[in-house]
Amino acid sequence: MSPSSQSVSTPSEAGSQESVNGGTVGRTLQWDTDPSVLQLLGDSDVGRKIHKLGASKITQVDILPKELVTYCKETQTPLAPHQSEEEEEDEEIPVPKAETETDLQDNEDNQEYTEAHPRELTEEEKQQITHSEDFLVFFDRTIRVMERALAEDSDIFFDYSGRDMEDRDGDTQAGCNLSFNRFFYDEHWSKHRVVTCLDWSPQFSELMVASYNANEDTPHEPDGVVLVWNMKFKKTTPEYIFHCQSSVMSVGFAQFHPNLVVGGTYSGQIVLWDNRSHRRTPVQRTPLSSAAHTHPVYCVNVVGTQNANNLISVSTDGKMCSWSLDMLSQPMESMELVYNKSKPVAVTGMAFPAGDVNNFVVGSEEGTVYAASRHGSKAGIGEMFEGHQGPVTGISCHNAVGPIDFSHLFTTSSFDWTVKLWTTKHNKPLYSFEDNADYVYDVMWSPVHPALFASVDGMGRLDLWNLHNDTEVPTASVTVEGSCALNRVRWATGGREVAVGDSEGRVWIYDVGEQLAAPHPEDWSRFARTLVEIRANQGDSEEEGAMEMAA
Amino acid sequence: MAEVEETLKRIQTHKGVIGTIVVNAEGIPIRTTLDNSTTVQYAGLLHQLTIKARSTVRDIDPQNDLTFLRIRSKKHEIMVAPDKEYLLIVIQNPSE
C-alpha cells in the first residue's frame, strides 16, 4: 500500500517523484533548493524513491470494505440507542477520504477507545477533576445521601427463628418522663467548644442548629462554627457546616426564609448563611460600624409575619437594631435601650411574647429584667423587674397557645441559683424556684404545655418543672453524663423533645414522656387556678402594698 | 481539596465499609480506597450497570431518572449514587 500513501506526501517530494518517473530528464527541481537532495537524485537508481531523512508521519488509511448500509432497527425508536450510535460512527470514517491525516488518526483512536479498556487518568488529571466546581457540588450532595444510607442499619434479612432472642430489658420505663435519645458531637468541629445557642427549624422539625464558640486549642480553625444536625437519620455527622471568623454567640433559623441561618457573633456582626450555596462562609454580613453593633450580640430573633418580618438583634451595650433580611448593610432602625435615660442596659437575653412584635422583655447583666417596646409613644425601656441577685442568663416568655392567654408570664434564670416566674403586670417575681445548687444557665417554656418548662444548670442537670404537680422540686430531672455544665436548653417545636447544649460541645437530645409533655385541654384552666394559688402565696409572704402596674 | 479526602476517609472508617470509589462519566476511577485491579473491575462493571439501570428507569417513564442504586448480595451491599457526570460507589458489609 505504500505507493498510494506517498501520493499524499509532501509536495516537494511529489514533484521530485514526478520528475524521476518521467526519466532522467526532469531534473528541474524548481521548488526544492536543498543541494544534497539534488545530488542524491542524480546518483540514484531510476525508480527508487528517496526519502528525506526526517520524521515523517506514518499515515495509515484504512479503507474498510464496502459496507452494505442496512439499518437493523425498525422505524420505531430503537431499544438500544447506544449501539446505533456506534454504527453511525463506523460509517463516517470511510466517507471523507480527503480528510487530513490527523482527523483520520483521531477517528481511529476513538474506534479503539470505545471498544478497549478505559485508559488510566494521570494523577494531575485526577487532581484537576477533584478540584473542579462540578465535582465539589456533586460530592457534597452525594456524600450526604450516602452517609444517611450507610447509617441506616436495619437488617431486613434478620431471621428470628434461627437464634435465641436475648431477653430484652423490660421496657418498664416506657412512660418514663425524661429519657435519653441521642447526642450530637462532631470530632472535628465540636471538640473543645462550648455550645452557645440552639434552635429548631420551624419548617423541618427534625433539623436543629447549634452554634459553638472558639476552640482555643486550634487557633487556625475558624472561631465561630455553626452546625445543622438532623434528627431523622442515624448518621452522626452534621447536615451542614458553617464557619465564621468570630465566635457565634446566638443562632437561629430565619423563620420565614427556609434556607437562611442567622448568627450573632462576638464581634457584633450579624451573619447570614445560606444552605443553598456550597460555601461554608456567610453569604451576608452586617458592617462593623457604629451604625450596627460593636459589642457581642447575644440575641437574634426574627419577628413578624410572612410579609412583614424583621430581624431584631440586641448587643451587650444596649443597642437594639432591626434589620431586613434582604439588606444587611444597614439597620432599618436602631435604638439604645437605656434605663432612666442614662444607664444603658447590658442585655444578655431577649424574649418576645407569643404573637407580639412590639413589646418584649430583656434580661441584663445586673440582674434586673426590663420590659420594653419597639415602637409607640413609650418606645424603649418601660418597666423594671427586680429580683435576681446575679446576671440573668436566660429569659423565656410563655408561648403555649391555648384557650386562656398566659403571654404575660415569663421566666428567667440567673447566676443566683434560681429560676423566677414573673408576670409583666407586676414588678416583683410571682415565684422563685430554688432547687438548683449552681448557676442556672437557661430556661424555656414548653411550646405546647402551659405549665411545663425546662431549665439547665452548671452541674449538668436538666430539670423539667410542671407547675401543676409541684413548685418546690422539678417533676423530672436528669443529670447529663460527663460532668459538664449545660449552657442552653431548647424545646423542639412539637414539645416532645428537649435539646441541651453543654460546655464540651455536645448537644444532647432527650425525649419527654407522653404524660408529661402532651397537654390536655383542661390544663389551661388548671394552670389559671395554679397561678391564683401562687399569687395568693406570694401575696401572703409580701406586704399588702404590692402595686399592680398599670398595663 | 483536603475536605474531599477527609470525607472519603471518614466514610471509609464507617462501620462495615469495605471500599469507596469515585468514578467519572467515562467509567474511569478518580478516587479509590481499594487496590487497582479491584477498583478497575468495580468501576467498569458498575458503570455499565448504572447506565443500564438508568436507561431502564427512563424507558419505563421518560420523565423519571435514576437517583440511587443499591445491590444487596450475600456478602456485601454495594451502594451507587449516580449523577450526570460522576458516580460514587460504596461497598459495605452490613452485618458488621
Side-chain angles (χ1 to χ4, degrees):
Chain A
M1 289 292 248
S2 44
S4 59
S5 73
Q6 283 145 23
S7 63
V8 283
S9 50
T10 54
S12 57
E13 283 190 88
S16 58
Q17 180 74 357
E18 222 177 297
S19 54
V20 170
N21 281 344
T24 49
V25 186
R27 282 200 208 168
T28 50
L29 300 158
Q30 291 98 339
W31 52 86
D32 205 341
T33 51
D34 191 347
S36 59
V37 177
L38 284 169
Q39 193 122 35
L40 279 168
L41 269 178
D43 298 338
S44 73
D45 299 327
V46 174
R48 238 191 103 224
K49 167 82 179 145
I50 293 165
H51 291 284
K52 253 198 238 181
L53 290 177
S56 76
K57 284 193 186 143
I58 300 170
T59 59
Q60 286 179 9
V61 172
D62 231 356
I63 304 202
L64 298 166
K66 181 167 167 64
E67 270 184 59
L68 268 177
V69 178
T70 54
Y71 287 92
C72 54
K73 48 186 179 182
E74 299 89 35
T75 48
Q76 298 184 346
T77 45
L79 286 168
H82 188 60
Q83 281 168 12
S84 64
E85 271 171 50
E86 274 187 339
E87 283 174 358
E88 276 160 36
E89 254 183 62
D90 286 354
E91 286 147 29
E92 257 181 55
I93 294 168
V95 172
K97 275 193 208 168
E99 273 180 8
T100 57
E101 301 149 15
T102 46
D103 271 356
L104 285 167
Q105 202 162 1
D106 268 347
N107 279 341
E108 277 253 324
D109 281 354
N110 279 342
Q111 265 292 82
E112 285 167 20
Y113 173 64
T114 48
E115 288 152 8
H117 289 299
R119 60 194 167 93
E120 292 279 317
L121 286 178
T122 65
E123 197 54 44
E124 279 167 16
E125 283 176 316
K126 288 184 188 176
Q127 284 292 336
Q128 200 179 20
I129 292 179
T130 49
H131 287 227
S132 70
E133 184 66 30
D134 264 351
F135 181 81
L136 292 172
V137 168
F138 148 77
F139 196 75
D140 183 51
R141 205 178 51 228
T142 325
I143 278 293
R144 196 167 293 143
V145 173
M146 190 57 85
E147 284 200 293
R148 289 180 192 166
L150 275 175
E152 298 302 311
D153 54 6
S154 51
D155 188 1
I156 57 177
F157 294 107
F158 189 75
D159 182 7
Y160 286 94
S161 65
R163 44 174 282 186
D164 297 330
M165 288 281 289
E166 292 163 11
D167 267 1
R168 296 256 179 89
D169 296 328
D171 224 299
T172 53
Q173 302 188 0
C176 171
N177 282 332
L178 201 53
S179 59
F180 172 66
N181 184 341
R182 65 187 293 183
F183 73 88
F184 290 121
Y185 179 72
D186 185 75
E187 191 57 43
H188 186 191
W189 295 113
S190 328
K191 202 168 190 176
H192 297 314
R193 294 179 193 252
V194 176
V195 176
T196 49
C197 192
L198 297 168
D199 190 28
W200 290 86
S201 164
Q203 280 91 18
F204 301 106
S205 56
E206 65 264 17
L207 286 184
M208 60 158 287
V209 66
S211 62
Y212 302 81
N213 72 349
N215 182 349
E216 287 105 25
D217 293 339
T218 56
H220 304 295
E221 298 276 342
D223 275 356
V225 168
V226 167
L227 303 177
V228 177
W229 298 97
N230 193 332
M231 281 274 298
K232 194 153 116 179
F233 302 108
K234 296 201 187 87
K235 72 171 192 164
T236 54
T237 47
E239 282 284 324
Y240 296 103
I241 300 174
F242 298 124
H243 300 153
C244 176
Q245 281 313 107
S246 157
S247 300
V248 182
M249 308 311 293
S250 60
V251 77
F253 281 99
Q255 201 170 12
F256 303 104
H257 298 83
N259 295 91
L260 302 181
V261 175
V262 184
T265 64
Y266 195 74
S267 61
Q269 267 188 329
I270 315 246
V271 291
L272 203 63
W273 288 279
D274 191 330
N275 70 357
R276 287 168 293 201
S277 85
H278 292 276
R279 288 167 50 199
R280 290 181 171 185
T281 47
V283 294
Q284 270 200 73
R285 268 177 255 255
T286 60
L288 268 176
S289 69
S290 54
H293 296 289
T294 48
H295 277 66
V297 176
Y298 276 97
C299 344
V300 284
N301 217 341
V302 175
V303 296
T305 58
Q306 175 74 41
N307 298 323
N309 51 60
N310 287 328
L311 173 68
I312 313 287
S313 60
V314 191
S315 59
T316 51
D317 60 353
K319 187 141 186 216
M320 186 185 92
C321 291
S322 143
W323 311 79
S324 156
L325 277 168
D326 303 321
M327 192 183 72
L328 287 183
S329 54
Q330 64 173 41
M332 279 176 35
E333 52 180 30
S334 66
M335 194 162 79
E336 285 277 337
L337 293 173
V338 285
Y339 183 66
N340 271 347
K341 297 188 176 32
S342 57
K343 231 176 30 149
V345 172
V347 173
T348 52
M350 168 178 81
F352 280 82
D356 200 333
V357 297
N358 195 18
N359 304 307
F360 57 98
V361 285
V362 287
S364 72
E365 270 176 11
E366 290 101 36
T368 32
V369 182
Y370 300 93
S373 49
R374 283 171 59 205
H375 309 293
S377 55
K378 286 192 286 179
I381 299 278
E383 291 108 37
M384 181 173 92
F385 302 89
E386 278 182 328
H388 276 299
Q389 270 110 29
V392 174
T393 49
I395 183 167
S396 169
C397 282
H398 193 277
N399 46 16
V401 177
I404 308 177
D405 178 34
F406 291 114
S407 57
H408 56 94
L409 291 177
F410 61 95
T411 47
T412 53
S413 63
S414 151
F415 275 16
D416 65 357
W417 297 13
T418 65
V419 174
K420 294 202 197 303
L421 171 68
W422 313 73
T423 169
T424 49
K425 300 176 192 153
H426 205 106
N427 68 346
K428 290 272 176 270
L430 275 182
Y431 195 82
S432 177
F433 303 91
E434 293 179 10
D435 190 60
N436 295 84
D438 199 347
Y439 296 166
V440 186
Y441 280 104
D442 201 10
V443 68
M444 185 171 173
W445 285 99
S446 159
V448 293
H449 196 294
L452 189 61
F453 66 88
S455 68
V456 287
D457 73 356
M459 295 201 319
R461 237 175 73 179
L462 164 65
D463 297 323
L464 285 187
W465 299 79
N466 185 334
L467 295 176
H468 294 321
N469 294 353
D470 202 338
T471 53
E472 298 281 324
V473 286
T475 308
S477 175
V478 74
T479 305
V480 162
E481 51 184 82
S483 68
C484 47
L486 297 177
N487 200 23
R488 280 295 209 175
V489 67
R490 276 285 173 271
W491 286 87
T493 40
R496 299 298 306 278
E497 285 115 15
V498 179
V500 279
D502 73 4
S503 53
E504 298 293 323
R506 284 181 298 246
V507 178
W508 306 82
I509 310 282
Y510 280 84
D511 288 329
V512 183
E514 183 80 39
Q515 311 130 318
L516 191 54
H520 297 287
E522 60 267 14
D523 274 330
W524 273 264
S525 38
R526 198 171 156 201
F527 189 52
R529 289 196 295 276
T530 316
L531 269 184
V532 168
E533 274 173 35
I534 294 177
R535 270 217 181 98
N537 291 343
Q538 180 220 24
D540 285 345
S541 59
E542 285 193 6
E543 57 205 24
E544 298 303 293
M547 303 189 310
E548 283 269 347
M549 299 290 291
Chain B
M1 226 183 258
E3 283 294 338
V4 170
E5 297 300 336
E6 195 188 298
T7 314
L8 282 175
K9 219 183 321 183
R10 191 180 69 222
I11 294 231
Q12 186 60 29
T13 53
H14 201 280
K15 186 179 73 149
V17 170
I18 296 166
T20 313
I21 308 171
V22 181
V23 174
N24 77 348
E26 293 154 1
I28 306 174
I30 302 177
R31 278 273 171 277
T32 174
T33 60
L34 300 165
D35 58 281
N36 198 26
S37 55
T38 321
T39 302
V40 167
Q41 192 181 29
Y42 268 104
L45 293 168
L46 285 168
H47 180 247
Q48 290 175 30
L49 184 63
T50 311
I51 291 177
K52 189 71 180 167
R54 181 178 266 143
S55 68
T56 307
V57 168
R58 295 188 82 135
D59 283 348
I60 294 172
D61 176 9
Q63 315 282 4
N64 205 354
D65 195 9
L66 180 70
T67 52
F68 202 79
L69 187 60
R70 234 168 149 159
I71 304 164
R72 192 71 182 262
S73 70
K74 277 206 287 212
K75 297 185 187 169
H76 306 135
E77 177 164 16
I78 304 174
M79 290 180 273
V80 180
D83 184 74
K84 341 191 274 313
E85 291 268 324
Y86 303 98
L87 218 61
L88 175 67
I89 301 168
V90 175
I91 303 126
Q92 186 193 27
N93 185 351
S95 58
E96 261 181 49

